[in-house]
Amino acid sequence: MPSIPRLPQILPLLPFLFLAACTSPSTETPPAGVTMDLPPLETQADSLAMDVFHAVGGPDAWSRVRYIRFDFGRAADSTRTVFRSHLWDRFTGDYRVERDVEGGREVVLFNVNTQEGSAFVDGQAVAADTLADYVSRAYGAYINDTYWLLAPIKLLDPGVSRSFVPDSSDAEFAVIKTTYDNVGLTPGDQFWFWIERESRMLDMWGYILQGRTDRPITKWRWEDYQAFVVEGGDTVRVAPRKTNMPGTSAIVTDHVDLPRTVAPDAFTRPTSLLDQDG
């Protein structure tokens, strides 16, 4: 649950509760896939949420996606700015975040389940008394940035309540609203999802952030869906661009890759790795 574009800081700290296992970095044999604790489909909103999930690949295909690499930033006019670069092992929970800072390239290596890890600037370990701040900030980036990338597969997460919004729905779009029960970093946020009735693809989302109920809904259109063939031959989809409704700027979750393998030191190397991927 978010706190929106005060860039280049962490954007909406959206609700994120993805289920993946293990410690950091993992030395055990990882599970064969990601376990998804999906609820029974009891309401119209539940069924629509599952339709959205299937439109971008479905639970079975996404459970077999192990690695996700992407950049998070902003595009305005002809300028694209990358705030952070990510690599995630969804089977083990191991995570890598890189960004440019004054003094060089910051690399934080941690586990999303334990929230423990290490941090480096230009290959040098940060001071011990600042490590917790680095990891906390990187964890917040994981929460925020992956939600901008993966919201269509998050609608049925534990702690998410869904309701159908008839007054906002029409012949072209069905709208569901989500609220959050003590999950994420800002559980008071509220989200609306405009779903194309024919394709069941997420077309637009809007939100009112925690503590800002006096403001109108902020809306972003989800665009340029890309398809990826995953292990087993199924196809999953992500939208690398979310354009604000005035059309003046976009949040980008691009340079997406779902590799089958990564470098052996991907979650231990203290020097830059992701900026080499372009």
Side-chain angles (χ1 to χ4, degrees):
M1 300 157 304
S3 54
I4 221 77
R6 287 195 288 274
L7 308 173
Q9 298 177 352
I10 293 175
L11 295 187
L13 293 177
L14 309 160
F16 195 72
L17 226 179
F18 216 104
L19 301 176
C22 283
T23 57
S24 168
S26 175
T27 58
E28 300 178 356
T29 301
V34 178
T35 301
M36 298 186 181
D37 186 12
L38 299 173
L41 305 182
E42 298 177 333
T43 68
Q44 182 178 5
D46 293 345
S47 296
L48 284 168
M50 182 58 82
D51 287 347
V52 173
F53 202 159
H54 280 293
V56 295
D60 182 59
W62 274 103
S63 74
R64 287 179 267 120
V65 175
R66 178 167 184 175
Y67 299 109
I68 299 179
R69 183 264 186 268
F70 71 102
D71 289 338
F72 180 85
R74 186 170 200 167
D77 299 322
S78 60
T79 302
R80 175 182 174 275
T81 304
V82 176
F83 301 135
R84 294 172 288 273
S85 296
H86 297 258
L87 180 64
W88 182 17
D89 184 340
R90 295 173 66 240
F91 287 14
T92 67
D94 293 333
Y95 210 92
R96 179 184 192 98
V97 181
E98 296 186 19
R99 65 175 186 141
D100 290 326
V101 296
E102 184 177 353
R105 185 74 167 175
E106 177 184 296
V107 175
V108 184
L109 309 167
F110 68 103
N111 184 276
V112 300
N113 301 303
T114 65
Q115 297 183 46
E116 296 178 352
S118 53
F120 307 85
V121 176
D122 270 4
Q124 300 300 310
V126 303
D129 61 349
T130 65
L131 175 58
D133 290 337
Y134 279 88
V135 173
S136 176
R137 183 168 58 243
Y139 180 76
Y142 148 74
I143 292 284
N144 180 80
D145 300 0
T146 55
Y147 201 69
W148 279 90
L149 178 70
L150 299 174
I153 73 173
K154 302 297 299 164
L155 294 172
L156 292 165
D157 273 2
V160 179
S161 296
R162 297 156 296 278
S163 59
F164 180 66
V165 188
D167 292 345
S168 298
S169 301
D170 56 27
E172 187 175 2
F173 298 105
V175 181
I176 60 176
K177 179 183 178 181
T178 56
T179 55
Y180 307 93
D181 182 16
N182 295 320
V183 296
L185 300 182
T186 50
D189 296 338
Q190 304 173 66
F191 278 76
W192 289 259
F193 297 82
W194 279 259
I195 301 160
E196 292 184 357
R197 287 191 182 273
E198 184 172 349
S199 69
R200 293 307 206 230
M201 297 292 286
L202 174 61
D203 178 81
M204 181 175 65
W205 78 0
Y207 49 76
I208 295 176
L209 303 183
Q210 179 171 283
R212 299 186 181 183
T213 55
D214 59 331
R215 301 188 183 186
I217 298 175
T218 302
K219 297 178 181 179
W220 300 75
R221 193 169 297 282
W222 287 55
E223 299 176 324
D224 303 333
Y225 279 90
Q226 293 179 316
F228 298 85
V229 177
V230 301
E231 188 76 37
D234 291 321
T235 298
V236 300
R237 292 175 173 80
V238 297
R241 185 180 181 90
K242 291 84 183 177
T243 301
N244 65 5
M245 289 307 292
T248 55
S249 66
I251 298 300
V252 289
T253 51
D254 59 2
H255 284 174
V256 180
D257 190 18
L258 309 181
R260 304 286 177 88
T261 61
V262 297
D265 62 350
F267 299 101
T268 58
R269 185 191 300 187
T271 55
S272 183
L273 170 70
L274 302 183
D275 64 343
Q276 299 172 13
D277 293 350

